[in-house]
Amino acid sequence: MSETGNRLRKLLESQNFDPQNHVKQLSQQSDGDRDLQEHRQKIQNLADETAQNLKKNVYKNYRQFIETAKEISYLESEMYQLSHILTEQKSIMESITQALISTDKDETSKEMQAAFPKETEELKQRTLTSLLEKVEGGKNIMDTPGRHLVYNGDLVEFDVDNMSPIQKVHAFLMNDCLLIATWLPNRRGTVKYKYNALYDLESFAVVNVKDNPPMKDMFKILMFPDSRIFQAENSKIKKEWLEILDETKKNKVTKDRHKKEEEVPVSPVRAEVSTNPFDQEEEQQPAGEVEESVDLSLEWIQELPEDLDVCIAQRDFEGAVDLVDKLNEYLKEQPVNQRVKELRLKVEERLRQLTEVLVFELSPDRSLRGGPKATRRAVCQLIRLGQSTKACELFLKNRAAAVQTAIRQLRIEGATLLYIHKLCNIFFTSLLETAKEFEMDFAGNTGCYSAFVVWSKTTMRMFVDAFSKQVFDSKESLSTAAECVKKAKEHCQQLTEIGLDLTFTLQSLLVKDIKAALQSYNDIIIEATKHRNSEEMWRKMNLMTPEALTKLKDEMRSCGIASFDQYTGDDCWVNLSYTIVAFTKQMMSFLEEGLKLYFPELHMVLLESLREIILVAVQHVDYSLRCEQDPEKKAFIMQNASFLHDTVLPVVERRFEEGVGKPAKQLQDLRKSTRPVRINPDSTTSMV
């Protein structure tokens, strides 16, 4: 950088730099607009140089940035695991402490109940009743026996997404549930609140929300898959809510556990002999019920609902399904009684939550990276839960979204063939991987294979839309379109490795566009031929150089005309008209490109196009023979007609039969109907 640039940099980097004063000084010192423009250019050059230096520094340290980001991700994962371990340790310590003091509490509560048998319980119920009278729609809450009020107070509910206040609520915490009531704007008598929601204590978890001013004194209630955030009046009330909620939930768990332990199965008692037959029937019925009792006091069964909650929270889907299978296996041969029904209801609620989580894992809203294998875990667990149809539907929707996203993200290159090559690689590779993963995941569910076939056809339509838009809508040349279609056919053949043949589907979707392309190119050739015919002078070609003659011979040889040497003369002359030679090359090129595009539905289209093109040339030769009076020119025209009939048309017929696999009868009939004859130069008859 120049000395002037260094001074300017130091000036701009100084701490006391004032832009307004600097501009004022420049305006005073400058002689006119030119000086200001020069200074502006210096500042712009300095800005560009600074930007380049920043880019170089970023590129220089790019690898370090990536490694640092990875390290941060690893540290974050380790901190999460450490936090989880500490939380588990804390819960274990709390459970041990609770177990140690539960005995003392039980003894104290028994002494209180012995001294005041029903006074405390009735007082709590009367308090709850008086409060619920103020809640519109809350009269049925007291129908549950033993329910009483533990704590209540005003809270403000906030929106979970944007943390904006929604409404003011009043919360009633009872010994087995939590009631949320909203404030009524127009109060009627003693009614102040309106029933909003009632949550069982086992159905939600309470989480403390870290203070982030002005958002403070908040806590969150998690009810899968939703959550609600409430704000207390101050930090003291928030602390009371968190402590009392936690204690009430633990008391309910302890009470339920003691209640289950006290329920001891009653052993069958032999009925006393009675002479009354009706008494015998009444006594035998309870004995039958006792015989159908099921032992649900096993520790793993008692803890099954809580274990399922933990597995779902920790995303241990396999462990959750294993627990369900274990329970179903245990209860398979057992009779069904009321306790078994209650247990199954609890398990079914967890299964519903587990299914919702697995469905969310397969939803297209989730990240689509990782390919089909990333969905295997959720799909396998849904199949184990007996929901193979839903698993199949979600898996295919997920893969369709992944394929569509991959096609949309594909950059449209300047060269169409390069873009189609990438498009085919992405689409057919994804389809092949999806098919292999589907076969692996749904190996025992043959009924789902029809859904995969339908999905494959639908996805093929998505591919053809992108293909046609780039190849046919952009009016590419027929040779480019033929190469693109050939590439798509080759990739489609790869699917036959797994027994999936979509060639017919691909052809049926492309047939309309290919027909239009053939017809369009057919019109172009006919117009070009007519234009050359209008300027035809019926002169021999002079290629001027041996190299040009050699090149023409090679071109004709590549078109399949091996006997072209007999039509070349001395030096660089060719004993054919320029119009006939150009027509031959153009028609043979059209035939080759048409064979690349060929499939049975296009048989007649290609044949008719060839027939129309040949007729234009043949009719022009016939007309020229009839009209020409010069004997030498007429003989030259006859030589060109012979070249068309005896050399070009047989090559067209043979090449068409090789490419299609059956003879072209229409072309044979056309050649026979236009057979030239050796004529007298003075005659005007040229065709038989």
Side-chain angles (χ1 to χ4, degrees):
M1 184 182 288
S2 64
E3 184 178 354
T4 306
N6 289 328
R7 288 202 304 269
L8 181 59
R9 178 190 291 274
K10 292 179 181 180
L11 177 63
L12 295 175
E13 290 177 349
S14 63
Q15 296 181 354
N16 299 327
F17 176 70
D18 187 354
Q20 294 182 354
N21 291 335
H22 181 66
V23 173
K24 183 183 288 186
Q25 291 176 5
L26 283 176
S27 301
Q28 294 174 354
Q29 295 173 2
S30 62
D31 295 335
D33 181 64
R34 186 172 183 179
D35 291 343
L36 292 176
Q37 290 291 343
E38 291 179 355
H39 195 78
R40 179 181 179 277
Q41 185 62 38
K42 292 177 182 178
I43 295 176
Q44 183 62 42
N45 294 337
L46 182 60
D48 294 341
E49 185 176 354
T50 305
Q52 289 296 327
N53 291 334
L54 286 174
K55 287 183 180 179
K56 290 179 181 178
N57 289 333
V58 170
Y59 295 150
K60 182 179 180 181
N61 301 317
Y62 186 66
R63 186 175 298 277
Q64 295 181 3
F65 292 156
I66 295 176
E67 293 177 355
T68 304
K70 289 182 179 179
E71 291 297 330
I72 291 173
S73 177
Y74 296 151
L75 288 174
E76 184 180 2
S77 175
E78 292 176 358
M79 290 301 296
Y80 175 79
Q81 294 177 2
L82 182 60
S83 174
H84 183 67
I85 293 172
L86 291 174
T87 303
E88 288 184 348
Q89 294 292 335
K90 181 182 177 182
S91 62
I92 293 172
M93 294 299 295
E94 288 178 351
S95 62
I96 294 174
T97 305
Q98 185 69 26
L100 292 175
I101 64 176
S102 61
T103 306
D104 297 336
K105 286 185 176 180
D106 291 342
E107 293 177 358
T108 304
S109 61
K110 289 178 181 179
E111 292 176 359
M112 292 295 295
Q113 289 179 2
F116 307 99
K118 295 184 179 180
E119 181 179 354
T120 306
E121 193 72 22
E122 291 178 355
L123 179 61
K124 292 180 179 179
Q125 290 183 357
R126 283 199 300 270
T127 305
L128 178 60
T129 303
S130 62
L131 286 173
L132 291 180
E133 289 177 353
K134 302 178 182 180
V135 180
E136 179 181 322
K139 294 182 179 180
N140 297 330
I141 296 176
M142 284 305 299
D143 293 346
T144 303
R147 180 173 288 173
H148 60 266
L149 183 68
V150 178
Y151 192 75
N152 73 98
D154 292 333
L155 298 170
V156 178
E157 184 176 5
F158 278 70
D159 188 87
V160 178
D161 297 327
N162 54 28
M163 296 303 290
S164 60
I166 301 176
Q167 59 187 347
K168 187 177 180 182
V169 301
H170 194 89
F172 299 88
L173 176 61
M174 287 160 270
N175 59 324
D176 62 344
C177 61
L178 176 66
L179 170 65
I180 304 296
T182 58
W183 281 71
L184 286 174
N186 300 321
R187 300 182 183 178
R188 298 182 296 276
T190 59
V191 179
K192 296 182 179 180
Y193 317 108
K194 182 179 180 181
Y195 175 88
N196 179 264
L198 184 69
Y199 304 110
D200 191 283
L201 290 182
E202 295 179 350
S203 66
F204 68 86
V206 184
V207 179
N208 180 29
V209 178
K210 186 178 179 181
D211 289 347
N212 185 17
M215 304 302 175
K216 60 180 182 177
D217 304 330
M218 293 182 174
F219 60 92
K220 182 184 290 188
I221 294 180
L222 303 177
M223 306 81 61
F224 184 85
D226 301 321
S227 62
R228 300 178 72 172
I229 293 181
F230 299 99
Q231 183 183 45
E233 186 176 352
N234 52 52
S235 58
K236 180 181 178 182
I237 295 178
K238 170 191 172 181
K239 184 178 180 182
E240 290 178 359
W241 269 108
L242 293 175
E243 292 177 352
I244 295 174
L245 276 167
D246 186 55
E247 184 178 357
T248 306
K249 288 171 67 69
K250 290 179 179 178
N251 290 340
K252 187 175 186 303
V253 173
T254 304
K255 183 178 179 181
D256 292 344
R257 185 182 294 114
H258 289 336
K259 184 178 179 181
K260 291 176 182 178
E261 291 176 354
E262 290 174 0
E263 292 179 357
V264 180
V266 181
S267 59
V269 180
R270 185 172 182 176
E272 296 180 1
V273 179
S274 173
T275 57
N276 189 347
F278 297 100
D279 292 343
Q280 292 180 2
E281 292 179 3
E282 292 175 357
E283 292 172 359
Q284 288 174 1
Q285 185 65 28
E289 292 180 358
V290 173
E291 290 176 359
E292 293 184 355
S293 63
V294 182
D295 184 13
L296 299 179
S297 61
L298 299 176
E299 183 179 357
W300 68 272
I301 294 180
Q302 296 291 329
E303 297 178 354
L304 183 65
E306 290 78 11
D307 290 343
L308 286 175
D309 289 336
V310 172
C311 289
I312 294 172
Q314 295 180 347
R315 299 170 59 79
D316 183 12
F317 306 137
E318 295 83 357
V321 179
D322 290 341
L323 288 173
V324 174
D325 289 345
K326 184 178 179 181
L327 177 66
N328 291 334
E329 183 67 24
Y330 179 77
L331 298 177
K332 183 170 63 175
E333 303 295 336
Q334 302 292 342
V336 179
N337 56 23
Q338 187 61 31
R339 293 178 60 202
V340 172
K341 291 180 179 179
E342 292 176 357
L343 177 61
R344 285 197 178 277
L345 285 175
K346 292 182 180 180
V347 173
E348 286 175 2
E349 176 64 23
R350 271 71 178 183
L351 280 178
R352 184 185 64 80
Q353 297 177 7
L354 176 61
T355 302
E356 290 178 355
V357 175
L358 293 173
V359 168
F360 179 70
E361 287 292 311
L362 292 174
S363 65
D365 297 333
R366 297 281 288 170
S367 175
L368 299 174
R369 296 179 180 177
K373 294 182 180 179
T375 62
R376 183 183 302 172
R377 188 182 178 206
V379 168
C380 291
Q381 303 317 312
L382 279 175
I383 294 174
R384 290 181 62 189
L385 292 174
Q387 302 193 38
S388 56
T389 303
K390 180 179 288 188
C392 175
E393 179 184 357
L394 293 170
F395 172 78
L396 294 179
K397 282 184 178 179
N398 180 282
R399 297 313 308 153
V403 172
Q404 188 175 18
T405 302
I407 291 176
R408 286 179 178 176
Q409 291 178 349
L410 184 61
R411 294 180 58 187
I412 299 178
E413 304 287 349
T416 301
L417 190 58
L418 178 60
Y419 171 82
I420 294 301
H421 180 71
K422 292 182 179 179
L423 178 65
C424 291
N425 274 336
I426 290 175
F427 175 76
F428 287 103
T429 302
S430 298
L431 198 61
L432 188 62
E433 291 177 352
T434 301
K436 291 180 179 179
E437 184 65 25
F438 186 90
E439 189 176 9
M440 183 181 299
D441 293 344
F442 297 91
N445 297 274
T446 54
C448 296
Y449 280 71
S450 58
F452 177 76
V453 174
V454 173
W455 174 86
S456 300
K457 292 183 177 180
T458 305
T459 314
M460 179 65 75
R461 189 173 291 108
M462 185 192 312
F463 165 77
V464 171
D465 288 343
F467 182 94
S468 298
K469 185 176 181 181
Q470 188 67 19
V471 175
F472 297 109
D473 293 354
S474 59
K475 305 298 182 183
E476 291 290 340
S477 65
L478 189 65
S479 59
T480 301
E483 287 297 327
C484 293
V485 172
K486 181 182 177 183
K487 182 68 66 175
K489 287 181 180 179
E490 292 174 354
H491 279 81
C492 195
Q493 285 294 325
Q494 296 177 2
L495 299 177
T496 57
E497 299 176 4
I498 57 172
L500 182 65
D501 190 357
L502 295 177
T503 305
F504 177 76
T505 302
L506 177 65
Q507 292 175 351
S508 62
L509 292 172
L510 287 175
V511 64
K512 182 179 179 181
D513 290 325
I514 295 178
K515 277 184 179 179
L518 287 174
Q519 189 61 47
S520 175
Y521 203 70
N522 173 49
D523 295 341
I524 292 173
I525 293 177
I526 290 176
E527 288 298 322
T529 303
K530 288 181 177 179
H531 178 72
R532 288 193 297 267
N533 291 344
S534 65
E535 299 177 352
E536 178 62 75
M537 301 298 292
W538 293 113
R539 296 175 180 174
K540 296 181 180 181
M541 290 179 63
N542 184 4
L543 298 179
M544 307 302 291
T545 62
E547 291 79 7
L549 179 60
T550 303
K551 182 180 179 181
L552 179 60
K553 289 181 180 180
D554 293 338
E555 290 176 352
M556 287 297 180
R557 196 174 295 112
S558 64
C559 292
I561 302 175
S563 59
F564 186 74
D565 289 346
Q566 70 184 33
Y567 295 97
T568 59
D570 298 334
D571 297 329
C572 299
W573 290 90
V574 177
N575 298 325
L576 293 172
S577 168
Y578 166 77
T579 301
I580 297 299
V581 172
F583 167 79
T584 302
K585 292 194 292 184
Q586 198 168 23
M587 187 186 64
M588 293 306 297
S589 174
F590 175 76
L591 175 60
E592 292 299 327
E593 305 305 338
L595 290 176
K596 291 180 182 178
L597 294 168
Y598 177 84
F599 45 85
E601 287 81 358
L602 296 172
H603 184 82
M604 292 306 301
V605 176
L606 183 59
L607 263 181
E608 287 299 320
S609 297
L610 289 171
R611 186 174 179 277
E612 290 177 6
I613 294 171
I614 293 171
L615 273 176
V616 172
V618 169
Q619 289 173 356
H620 171 66
V621 172
D622 180 63
Y623 177 77
S624 299
L625 279 173
R626 292 179 185 276
C627 298
E628 185 61 52
Q629 300 299 324
D630 186 357
E632 293 183 2
K633 282 192 175 182
K634 184 172 286 191
F636 180 68
I637 295 172
M638 192 64 197
Q639 187 176 5
N640 282 271
S642 176
F643 173 74
L644 276 178
H645 184 273
D646 299 335
T647 303
V648 177
L649 293 185
V651 171
V652 172
E653 294 173 17
R654 185 178 68 254
R655 184 69 190 93
F656 186 90
E657 185 175 353
E658 291 174 355
V660 174
K662 55 183 178 180
K665 189 174 183 301
Q666 290 86 342
L667 296 181
Q668 293 175 357
D669 294 342
L670 176 64
R671 182 164 61 90
K672 291 176 181 178
S673 65
T674 59
R675 179 172 59 85
V677 295
R678 297 294 178 182
I679 60 173
N680 188 333
D682 298 331
S683 173
T684 59
T685 304
S686 61
M687 296 289 180
V688 176

